[in-house]
Amino acid sequence: MSTNRLSSLTLSSKKLTPSSVTPTPTPPTPWVRPIDWLALPVLTDTDQQFTGLYQVTDDDSCACAFIAAGAYTVDWGDGTTDNYTTGATAEHFYTYSNVNLGAVTSGGWKQALVTITPQAGSNLTSLNFGVRATGFNTVYSTGWVDVVVASAFLTSFGFYSTLVVARNLEKATIVKDNLTTAWAMFYDCVSLQSVELLDLSSLTDASYMFYDCYSLQTVPLFNLSAVTNATYMLNSCYSLQTVPLFDLSSLTNASHMFNSCYSLQSVPLFDLSSVTNASSMFYNCITLPSVPLFDLSSLTVASYMFQNCYSLQSVPLFDLSAVTYMGYMFQYCHSLHTVPLFNLSAVGHTDFMLSGCRSLQSVPLFDLGAATYIYGMFYDCYSLQSVPLFDLGAANEASYMFQGCYSLQTVPTFNLSSVANVTGMFNNCYSLSSGVVNNISTSIGYMNCRLSATALNDIYTALPTVVGKTITVSGNWGVATDDPTIATAKGWTVTG
């Protein structure tokens, strides 16, 4: 069987790559239904019916397949009607020349109105359009372009599977349902521009619901009051510019919820008081300039939450008192000038938390007393001029903590007695003119700093006696006249 149209479509669509240059978003363009598309029926809460407009193409390989429950009848829209038992696969192959099909549209395809209704004594409880037709061995896109469904008994509905996707779907309307999960409902519907989800009051799982819906610019205010899991819900909705004030009061998992929404310009004050995991929630939201004061009092995982938010200029004083892991939370927030004095008393991981924040000039005295892993925390903070005397008493890993802080001139006398690794801690701090640390027992780097001979000798003097450790000082102008024997007499190898 020929599959020239369907098999030619692949799932390896080109992903957008964010850059450090923030794009200027264009205003949302309302979706307009083409005037030559066949009209869909107006369904009400009391109906049990699905109707969808299906593309029929001139390639002798146009097929439609799905599974429904309970017992159901399908009008294929070309003069053919079939009955199926509950759970049976419905399958139909279209003939382009069939005189019962609608007229050729401006898009170059004919159209069939496919209608699914329950048989007498049955209810429409499930619709699965992620079914591959017989004879097709590759992943392909179905022909759905506009659909409407209503059934108070509908508990399962979706278009995605690993076998087929609905990349032609432009509009979807759910009038009435009893859905508890919308997992991957519109996954990879890259053409979807208009959704009307009028009743989602029973929904608890919205994960992956609109994943990779690249064309979606807006979403309506649908009921998410019972949803606990919204991970990846709007992930990679590249064109999404605004979102309404969803009721998220029951939400606990918001990880990746708006990940890579490149055009998102604002978010409302969601109730996030129950959220425990917001990892990558706004990752790659490169046009987002600010966020409101969310209640994050229950949050424990904040890793990558705002990573690559290039336009984010400030953040409010979130309650982070319960957070234990916030690695990469603000990494590459290039426009962030300041950060408030967050309560980090419970945080164990701050690795790369503020790395790449090129505009950050100062930081408050965070309580890092519980932090064991602070690897690269301020890596490449080019504008950072000073840092306070953090308590690093619990730290075990502090490698590259200040590497690339070009403007950092001095650092306090940190106590590094418990730190097992500080590799490259001060490397490429081109303006650093002093950097004495106490109680260090592991190798350390001051490569390419601005240390004079006196400053280097002060650092050597503060070093304890060790065995087999190295201090790297190459690239400092003071190495021509310093006295490395101060360090070598204590068992240190001086490189540079």
Side-chain angles (χ1 to χ4, degrees):
M1 175 178 295
S2 170
T3 60
N4 50 350
R5 177 181 71 91
L6 300 175
S7 62
S8 65
L9 185 146
T10 69
L11 298 186
S12 58
S13 62
K14 183 178 180 181
K15 298 284 186 179
L16 300 180
T17 303
S19 67
S20 59
V21 179
T22 302
T24 301
T26 56
T29 303
W31 181 77
V32 178
R33 195 177 193 271
I35 60 175
D36 58 354
W37 285 12
L38 294 175
L40 269 59
V42 177
L43 302 183
T44 68
D45 288 359
T46 59
D47 289 316
Q48 286 200 68
Q49 180 177 318
F50 167 93
T51 298
L53 185 62
Y54 203 84
Q55 292 182 356
V56 178
T57 54
D58 186 17
D59 58 9
D60 296 326
S61 62
C62 187
C64 180
F66 51 84
I67 297 174
Y72 61 102
T73 299
V74 183
D75 181 344
W76 294 105
D78 64 352
T80 304
T81 300
D82 293 315
N83 293 317
Y84 297 91
T85 58
T86 183
T89 299
E91 183 176 83
H92 189 70
F93 293 87
Y94 287 97
T95 302
Y96 188 77
S97 59
N98 189 321
V99 296
N100 293 307
L101 292 172
V104 178
T105 67
S106 56
W109 42 271
K110 289 187 177 181
Q111 43 192 333
L113 276 183
V114 180
T115 300
I116 307 169
T117 52
Q119 296 174 19
S122 294
N123 293 309
L124 197 59
T125 61
S126 176
L127 288 167
N128 175 17
F129 297 100
V131 178
R132 187 164 60 186
T134 303
F136 295 91
N137 299 316
T138 58
V139 178
Y140 64 86
S141 177
T142 59
W144 301 110
V145 293
D146 189 4
V147 300
V148 59
V149 62
S151 174
F153 302 94
L154 189 66
T155 60
S156 178
F157 177 75
F159 290 88
Y160 172 75
S161 76
T162 57
L163 304 177
V164 297
V165 290
R167 291 193 150 210
N168 298 300
L169 185 65
E170 296 190 25
K171 183 180 181 182
T173 303
I174 298 178
V175 176
K176 184 64 177 177
D177 66 88
N178 192 31
L179 296 169
T180 58
T181 178
W183 179 87
M185 180 183 287
F186 299 108
Y187 191 115
D188 216 15
C189 292
V190 298
S191 300
L192 187 64
Q193 298 180 57
S194 178
V195 289
E196 295 181 21
L197 308 179
L198 304 182
D199 178 21
L200 294 177
S201 56
S202 300
L203 200 67
T204 59
D205 185 355
S207 58
Y208 296 87
M209 186 174 183
F210 296 103
Y211 191 103
D212 278 0
C213 289
Y214 305 152
S215 303
L216 196 61
Q217 298 183 62
T218 61
V219 287
L221 180 61
F222 38 87
N223 189 344
L224 299 181
S225 59
V227 170
T228 59
N229 184 5
T231 182
Y232 293 93
M233 176 181 170
L234 291 155
N235 191 98
S236 297
C237 289
Y238 299 152
S239 303
L240 189 67
Q241 297 191 30
T242 61
V243 287
L245 182 57
F246 296 130
D247 180 352
L248 302 181
S249 56
S250 298
L251 189 65
T252 58
N253 189 350
S255 65
H256 301 268
M257 185 173 181
F258 300 102
N259 186 332
S260 297
C261 290
Y262 297 154
S263 301
L264 191 63
Q265 301 174 57
S266 64
V267 288
L269 182 57
F270 297 128
D271 180 355
L272 302 182
S273 58
S274 298
V275 172
T276 59
N277 185 353
S279 176
S280 300
M281 183 175 182
F282 297 102
Y283 176 94
N284 272 349
C285 290
I286 61 178
T287 61
L288 189 64
S290 63
V291 288
L293 181 57
F294 299 127
D295 180 351
L296 300 180
S297 56
S298 298
L299 191 65
T300 58
V301 180
S303 54
Y304 304 90
M305 186 173 181
F306 298 102
Q307 188 184 44
N308 291 348
C309 288
Y310 301 142
S311 302
L312 192 64
Q313 299 178 33
S314 63
V315 287
L317 182 57
F318 298 128
D319 180 355
L320 302 181
S321 57
V323 173
T324 59
Y325 187 60
M326 59 190 305
Y328 302 83
M329 184 174 182
F330 298 103
Q331 188 181 45
Y332 303 133
C333 290
H334 298 327
S335 302
L336 195 62
H337 289 84
T338 60
V339 287
L341 182 57
F342 297 126
N343 182 349
L344 305 186
S345 58
V347 175
H349 282 244
T350 62
D351 41 307
F352 292 100
M353 172 187 162
L354 291 158
S355 66
C357 292
R358 299 172 181 174
S359 301
L360 192 65
Q361 298 184 25
S362 63
V363 289
L365 181 57
F366 296 130
D367 180 354
L368 299 180
T372 59
Y373 200 82
I374 52 179
Y375 185 101
M377 184 174 179
F378 301 103
Y379 187 104
D380 278 355
C381 287
Y382 300 155
S383 302
L384 191 63
Q385 299 179 32
S386 62
V387 291
L389 182 58
F390 297 124
D391 177 4
L392 304 182
N396 179 63
E397 171 62 79
S399 298
Y400 308 104
M401 185 175 180
F402 300 105
Q403 178 162 316
C405 291
Y406 301 157
S407 302
L408 191 62
Q409 300 178 33
T410 62
V411 291
T413 307
F414 293 119
N415 183 348
L416 302 181
S417 58
S418 66
V419 183
N421 192 355
V422 291
T423 301
M425 187 173 187
F426 300 108
N427 283 353
N428 298 335
C429 292
Y430 300 139
S431 301
L432 190 68
S433 57
S434 66
V436 173
V437 293
N438 282 338
N439 302 317
I440 186 169
S441 58
T442 186
S443 299
I444 190 170
Y446 291 89
M447 187 171 63
N448 297 328
C449 296
R450 191 170 168 265
L451 298 169
S452 66
T454 300
L456 288 169
N457 290 340
D458 288 343
I459 292 171
Y460 300 152
T461 300
L463 294 174
T465 300
V466 296
V467 176
K469 303 302 178 183
T470 300
I471 179 169
T472 303
V473 296
S474 54
N476 288 278
W477 64 276
V479 296
T481 55
D482 67 338
D483 184 4
T485 63
I486 301 173
T488 56
K490 302 176 185 181
W492 288 84
T493 298
V494 180
T495 301

